[in-house]
Amino acid sequence: MAARTPMTVPAVAARKVRDGADPLVMVTAYDAPGARIADEAGVDMILVGDSLAMVVLGYDDTLQVTIDDMAHHTAAVARAKPSSLIVGDLPWLSYHVSTAETVRNAATLVRAGAQSVKLEGGRKRVPMIEAIVDAEIPVMGHLGLTPQSMHAMGGFKVQARESQAALELVADAKALQHAGCFAIVLEGVPDEVAGMVTDALDVPTIGIGAGVRCDGQVLVSPDLLGIEDRVAPKFVRRYASIKDESVRALGEYAADVRSGAFPSAAESYHLNAEQSEALALYGAEAG
Ligand code: KIV
């Protein structure tokens, strides 16, 4: 495949659909093979999301991953050297304690290979966003259904369903843009509200469960590939059934091993005739 021009933060920041741009495409990846697949598919951005906790590490929520977990997986993605822009997700409690700790944690992801970081929350996160941006690290915002606030929200619930909450969301989005965010993820909000936010901003919005009026879309790769098949949120479209195909393939392999059909002679290494004969002379063939 021909090499693509690497995606940059300024190029993403300028992508507004209302100006005639194509919608941005972002997917998650957590390791080098996942990053290579996303890159070859031509996605604009790879998010090393804290969804890592649930879709890779087996936790029940995203609150369990640490900055070290995120750095470990960001580094694996970066080793694939994708042309897609790498966004590293700051996990819960890595940007809540102090601005100094926040900047250090963002820098940990950059040193691991992220070209930008993402964090969740509205106006109250502005001081942290400004501190990270001040350290020359681009920040992507994340509003609406923010999974790191699951206990405060009372679960994974669609947000901004009422007019006052919708106006608050627009105000949060404007504050994030003013603080220097180059793009904002909108998760789990009504299509109309996502449209209002998108219209109110000069930076792009990237939706997940936020309808078609955003400047781009993001999905969790194991969901869209059908690797994670335990839950099927309404907003996920499955483009493949990789788990089913993998279970079938491993089942066939197990049957072939048990029946002796694997490995075949063609899948085995063999001595040449001379060496084989020499071993026979020494009686080695008997065993
Ligand atoms: O962690 C993640 O995968 C995310 C996306 C759902 C946007 O934050």
Side-chain angles (χ1 to χ4, degrees):
M1 204 186 82
R4 291 190 293 138
T5 310
M7 182 55 75
T8 64
V9 165
V12 170
R15 288 272 287 268
K16 286 297 281 184
V17 168
R18 68 170 176 237
D19 298 335
D22 284 341
L24 287 158
V25 181
M26 182 160 84
V27 295
T28 63
Y30 314 94
D31 56 20
R36 273 195 295 274
I37 291 168
D39 194 36
E40 281 189 34
V43 307
D44 298 307
M45 286 178 281
I46 294 175
L47 170 65
V48 189
D50 64 353
S51 49
L52 167 76
M54 298 168 78
V55 297
V56 175
L57 300 181
Y59 293 118
D60 288 336
D61 57 55
T62 61
L63 304 179
Q64 311 304 326
V65 283
T66 64
I67 192 72
D68 291 341
D69 294 327
M70 295 307 301
H72 182 75
H73 286 266
T74 300
V77 165
R79 278 181 215 115
K81 298 190 174 44
S83 299
S84 324
L85 187 83
I86 302 175
V87 185
D89 218 357
L90 284 167
W92 177 63
L93 225 54
S94 70
Y95 55 95
H96 304 70
V97 177
S98 70
T99 48
E101 204 177 300
T102 298
V103 173
R104 256 195 299 276
N105 285 329
T108 297
L109 295 191
V110 171
R111 290 222 164 115
Q115 291 146 314
S116 59
V117 298
K118 177 170 84 57
L119 56 77
E120 298 182 4
R123 276 160 284 183
K124 64 182 171 190
R125 302 287 170 235
V126 162
M128 301 307 187
I129 294 169
E130 285 175 342
I132 303 171
V133 170
D134 200 45
E136 312 300 343
I137 301 172
V139 180
M140 179 180 284
H142 185 160
L143 293 171
L145 194 174
T146 45
Q148 292 174 12
S149 317
M150 58 175 281
H151 297 308
M153 289 183 315
F156 296 112
K157 293 185 178 152
V158 173
Q159 300 294 299
R161 282 186 182 277
E162 290 174 8
S163 56
Q164 188 52 38
L167 294 174
E168 295 287 335
L169 190 75
V170 174
D172 276 336
K174 284 184 174 170
L176 261 52
Q177 171 176 275
H178 190 255
C181 286
F182 72 96
I184 297 177
V185 169
L186 294 178
E187 178 166 357
V189 297
D191 170 65
E192 299 80 356
V193 176
M196 279 171 62
V197 176
T198 302
D199 290 347
L201 297 182
D202 295 325
V203 296
T205 55
I206 302 163
I208 173 164
V212 77
R213 302 185 204 195
C214 298
D215 296 301
Q217 298 291 327
V218 54
L219 279 178
V220 169
S221 296
D223 288 342
L224 86 85
L225 293 173
I227 295 170
E228 173 57 76
D229 65 351
R230 291 169 299 175
V231 280
K234 170 188 169 114
F235 58 81
V236 169
R237 188 179 295 178
R238 291 236 154 90
Y239 287 86
S241 302
I242 301 298
K243 185 192 159 202
D244 291 347
E245 175 65 1
S246 303
V247 170
R248 184 203 57 71
L250 294 185
E252 265 182 44
Y253 165 68
D256 283 351
V257 170
R258 289 177 185 133
S259 71
F262 178 86
S264 66
E267 288 156 337
S268 307
Y269 298 101
H270 301 280
L271 290 175
N272 63 30
E274 192 188 338
Q275 296 305 320
S276 198
E277 198 175 309
L279 285 173
L281 281 179
Y282 293 111
E285 233 175 32

